[in-house]
Amino acid sequence: MSSTPLPPEALDEWLTALADRLQLDPADVPVGDLLDAARDIAHNVARPAAPLSTFLIGLAAAKNGGTGADIEAACAAASELARDWAPEKL
C-alpha cells in the first residue's frame, strides 16, 4: 500500500478505477461540481467537513433520483450553505 498521494493528473485514473469498483459510470461523476463543493466547505466550514459533506451530497443525490442534475443540485446546496456558514459562537 502506497502512502504517496496521487498527482493531480492521476485523478481521472483513480476515479475511473473507483467508479468501476463501485459499479458506477465514471461519466456520471461531476468531478468539478464535487471539488467545488468540497473546496467551499473546507474553506468556510472546516477541512474535515469536506469529505463528510461530499458523502452526504452523494446520499442526497441518490435519494432524489441519482441523476446528474440531482448531484449538481446537492453540490450547489452544499456550496451555498458553506459560503453562508456563520455558526453561532459558543
Side-chain angles (χ1 to χ4, degrees), residues 2-34:
S2 173
S3 62
T4 304
L6 292 172
E9 59 272 9
L11 185 59
D12 288 339
E13 183 180 348
W14 162 250
L15 290 175
T16 298
L18 181 59
D20 184 55
R21 176 68 60 97
L22 299 174
Q23 300 177 354
L24 299 170
D25 181 351
D28 292 337
V29 181
V31 174
D33 291 333
L34 288 165

Side-chain angles (χ1 to χ4, degrees), residues 52-89:
L52 299 170
S53 298
T54 55
F55 176 77
L56 292 179
I57 287 167
L59 285 176
K63 181 178 179 183
N64 291 310
T67 68
D70 296 319
I71 300 167
E72 290 171 12
C75 285
S79 285
E80 180 182 2
L81 180 62
R83 287 190 303 267
D84 294 339
W85 189 248
E88 293 185 27
K89 304 287 183 198

